[in-house]
Amino acid sequence: MFTRRSFIKSSALITAGSLINPVSMFAQNDKIARLGGSKRMQLTFRPFDAQLIHPFTVSGYTRTTTPIVLTEIAYDGITGYGEAAMPPYLGESQASVIAFLQKVNLQQFKNPFELDDILAYVDQIAINNTAAKASVDIALHDLVGKLIGQPWHAIWGYTAAKAPVTTFTIGIDTEDVIRQKTKEAAPYKILKVKLGESEIADKMIITTVRSVTDKPIRVDANQGWKDKHYALKMIEWLSDRNVEFVEQPLPKYDLDDMAWLTEQSPLPTIADESCQRLEDIPRLKGVFDGINIKLMKCTGMREANKMISMGETFGMKLMIGCMTETSCAISAAAQLAPKMDYADLDGNLLIANDCFSGMKIIDGKITLNDRSGIGVKPLNI
Ligand code: MG
């Protein structure tokens, strides 16, 4: 029987439209490089399970692994790396991502520099599938950056030193675990704390964090507060406890209530679940103070960069966030970090089996390297 486990264990090399025996993607691409490389883009992909260091709970569910699909695009002896990360609530899975990627035919394009046409083609293959689309976008950006010989933050003209500090996330947990995790977060200058449970539980979490540290907190309620008056009462309570802003306090479609809450709120509000793609931003103006941009929601680096421009135009605060991802997708997101007011790029720090090295956090700050493309190297694990 073709179980999910055996499927993952095989880590089979898969190309669009075919299944090839378990050959390492890296060996395959070495072979292409030795032959001088093909002048057609070749997309390959394989499933990968990210093991979480601690079980992670946010409002609604707990998990110990995150399903990922790793992608590569080879062209002219150069390989670009990408990734799709699929937290369960977004509705994608390794199977759905692989089914999508098998439909992608990059060989019809002669030139990887035609990002606009290639990614417009990928976007119209099917609706949704945003993580699958991001995995192509990231690998293509990595490839093109390597062909140009520059990192993407430099290609876009962004100043690496302007990248902000990142938060480190404390999930919903028992009092003892929250105290322990807050102590472990000592290297990070700002904490992101997940709320959205009962009033007693939410206040216990904040009080417990505050028993360990006075450092600034950013709260994410993950749509967990169902009533605008209750949400305002919670935000007022939080505003006396060195909290900087509140992310997604109300359910994602409650935009009228959200506009009222933002008007009344003593703290800025940031849209996460309410803001998936570029087209969502106009209706969020005046509803939230800012937007949380994530590559897995918005189909990748190209659209994320457009979201920056639109958010700036509307005078909104900008935040870059992530799912639980390897250093591949985190480093891709970090290329945009110099433009951000806030960053929450800690997803790679939550997993035990990261298969890339890339962007580093130094003194709590996102620190970009000078490697071309998205700035990553695969690790042999
Ligand atoms: Mg969030």
Side-chain angles (χ1 to χ4, degrees):
M1 188 183 156
F2 192 65
T3 63
R4 180 170 174 275
R5 181 160 173 76
S6 64
F7 176 61
I8 291 161
K9 261 173 112 178
S10 73
S11 287
L13 172 72
I14 307 165
T15 57
S18 67
L19 279 168
I20 296 177
N21 282 328
V23 176
S24 149
M25 285 198 297
F26 305 138
Q28 175 80 3
N29 287 317
D30 286 344
K31 192 171 153 198
I32 291 168
R34 280 200 306 276
L35 296 173
S38 166
K39 284 282 190 182
R40 285 276 195 266
M41 285 177 279
Q42 186 181 24
L43 172 67
T44 53
F45 38 91
R46 66 179 165 122
F48 177 79
D49 270 6
Q51 307 292 331
L52 304 189
I53 295 169
H54 299 291
F56 191 69
T57 302
V58 298
S59 182
Y61 65 95
T62 299
R63 64 180 196 270
T64 55
T65 63
T66 292
I68 281 171
V69 173
L70 299 173
T71 54
E72 295 188 13
I73 300 175
Y75 173 84
D76 200 16
I78 307 284
T79 300
Y81 298 102
E83 168 181 2
M86 285 80 66
Y89 61 88
L90 287 183
E92 292 181 82
S93 63
Q94 286 168 329
S96 72
V97 169
I98 286 168
F100 180 90
L101 294 174
Q102 284 174 328
K103 294 179 196 151
V104 176
N105 174 17
L106 296 184
Q107 302 212 343
Q108 66 186 296
F109 296 96
K110 290 196 175 116
N111 185 346
F113 295 97
E114 293 168 355
L115 287 159
D116 207 38
D117 281 346
I118 297 167
L119 295 172
Y121 152 75
V122 170
D123 197 17
Q124 61 76 46
I125 289 174
I127 59 162
N128 301 323
N129 290 282
T130 54
K133 291 169 185 176
S135 75
V136 179
D137 170 285
I138 295 168
L140 189 60
H141 276 82
D142 193 36
L143 171 67
V144 168
K146 285 172 173 164
L147 291 166
I148 295 172
Q150 292 292 331
W152 270 95
H153 64 267
I155 295 169
W156 283 322
Y158 299 156
T159 303
K162 286 190 175 170
V165 298
T166 182
T167 46
F168 185 81
T169 303
I170 313 271
I172 291 168
D173 228 312
T174 62
E175 195 171 332
D176 284 349
V177 174
I178 286 169
R179 190 174 295 112
Q180 185 57 34
K181 283 188 178 173
T182 306
K183 286 177 184 164
E184 286 171 16
Y188 303 94
K189 297 190 183 324
I190 305 177
L191 299 176
K192 173 162 170 168
V193 177
K194 297 283 194 179
L195 300 183
E197 300 285 295
S198 68
E199 181 173 353
I200 291 172
D202 283 355
K203 288 186 174 175
M204 177 280 286
I205 290 169
I206 295 294
T207 305
T208 304
V209 172
R210 279 285 165 260
S211 73
V212 178
T213 178
D214 292 329
K215 66 177 72 165
I217 291 172
R218 295 168 182 172
V219 160
D220 187 354
N222 285 112
Q223 315 181 72
W225 300 335
K226 305 303 180 196
D227 173 78
K228 66 180 179 182
H229 297 286
Y230 172 74
L232 180 60
K233 204 175 73 169
M234 282 301 294
I235 293 172
E236 286 170 344
W237 185 83
L238 292 167
S239 70
D240 291 332
R241 287 163 178 79
N242 197 18
V243 172
E244 287 190 340
F245 65 69
V246 176
E247 192 178 321
Q248 198 69 45
L250 295 175
K252 61 181 175 181
Y253 298 120
D254 290 357
L255 297 188
D256 290 344
D257 285 351
M258 195 56 232
W260 176 89
L261 184 60
T262 295
E263 180 83 31
Q264 307 290 321
S265 173
L267 297 178
T269 59
I270 306 288
D272 185 4
E273 287 86 344
S274 294
C275 181
Q276 305 282 323
R277 297 196 59 175
L278 182 70
E279 66 189 21
D280 296 323
I281 298 176
R283 79 175 78 101
L284 301 178
K285 180 174 157 42
V287 174
F288 289 89
D289 294 303
I291 52 172
N292 184 350
I293 300 168
K294 295 178 181 171
L295 300 187
M296 295 302 143
K297 290 191 301 187
C298 75
T299 73
M301 297 167 71
R302 188 166 180 81
E303 184 153 322
N305 199 40
K306 293 179 183 175
M307 292 174 81
I308 289 174
S309 300
M310 190 180 283
E312 276 186 323
T313 303
F314 289 156
M316 300 178 96
K317 294 281 188 193
L318 299 174
M319 173 175 176
I320 185 91
C322 63
M323 311 299 177
T324 307
E325 299 164 0
T326 77
S327 286
C328 178
I330 293 289
S331 301
Q335 301 299 318
L336 299 151
K339 293 293 287 179
M340 298 294 164
D341 298 292
Y342 313 116
D344 177 33
L345 291 182
D346 64 348
N348 56 335
L349 306 173
L350 307 178
I351 65 179
N353 56 340
D354 196 353
C355 51
F356 285 89
S357 78
M359 178 274 276
K360 301 281 182 229
I361 307 297
I362 300 176
D363 290 334
K365 190 173 146 66
I366 292 168
T367 307
L368 292 155
N369 60 51
D370 292 333
R371 282 185 214 129
S372 57
I374 61 171
V376 297
K377 275 200 293 207
L379 302 171
N380 290 318
I381 61 162

